[in-house]
Amino acid sequence: MFGIDSTSAIVVIVLVMAVALAIVIVLAARAGARPSARLAWRTPGLMPPIPRDLQERVRELCAEGKKIHAIKALRDGTGLSLKEAKDVVDALDAGRSVPTPQPDGQPGDLASRVRELKAAGRAEQAVFLVRGETGMTQAEAETFVDTL
């Protein structure tokens, strides 16, 4: 049509798509996107599950007097905000469980929040919630959610 055969047209299209993808990646990186952050499932007010090994690493860093390194490790491992990570590190350093912020209007106990998530068709988030607050394994959390 424009004096270009189909093979050349395909090559041009692929090159244009590759350049567009590269531009998107560069812009995302400049905006502060981190590929290691696990934020895709997050719902405002719900904390992501924090694996036990990461909790132990945070406790070790706090025991060594490296609270800032603990906050950084927690943020890198979970994608938490600075305030959320500091609250979690402070709680773990004091020997408490991982705090979970309560959105306004939500019931306080775990079972009620899990029931609400299940009723909204968000059973997977309910499992994440249970794992994050209790430290249960995936199978244990799924069983807990299924029994409610």
Side-chain angles (χ1 to χ4, degrees):
M1 180 159 111
F2 295 106
I4 300 176
D5 64 349
S6 62
T7 305
S8 297
I10 291 173
V11 170
V12 169
I13 291 172
V14 169
L15 286 174
V16 168
M17 290 176 61
V19 168
L21 179 61
I23 290 171
V24 168
I25 291 171
V26 168
L27 291 175
R30 290 186 72 195
R34 295 175 302 180
S36 64
R38 294 180 276 173
L39 291 174
W41 75 273
R42 297 252 345 240
T43 297
L46 295 180
M47 188 139 334
I50 301 170
R52 286 185 188 261
D53 60 328
L54 181 56
Q55 290 182 31
E56 289 304 315
R57 179 71 181 134
V58 166
R59 285 186 183 102
E60 289 170 8
L61 288 168
C62 288
E64 296 170 8
K66 299 179 178 178
K67 247 185 181 178
I68 293 173
H69 294 289
I71 292 169
K72 182 171 177 10
L74 189 61
R75 291 188 73 200
D76 289 343
T78 61
L80 290 173
S81 72
L82 180 59
K83 181 182 181 336
E84 290 171 326
K86 183 184 179 312
D87 291 344
V88 170
V89 167
D90 288 342
L92 292 174
D93 188 32
R96 297 188 312 265
S97 63
V98 176
T100 53
Q102 299 288 325
D104 293 334
Q106 283 218 0
D109 68 325
L110 178 63
S112 298
R113 289 181 284 147
V114 168
R115 284 187 194 101
E116 272 189 32
L117 286 170
K118 275 183 66 175
R122 298 178 356 206
E124 186 175 330
Q125 284 185 328
V127 171
F128 283 130
L129 174 65
V130 171
R131 288 190 68 196
E133 287 197 19
T134 65
M136 290 182 184
T137 66
Q138 181 75 21
E140 292 169 337
E142 287 173 354
T143 302
F144 178 81
V145 169
D146 290 340
T147 58
L148 291 179

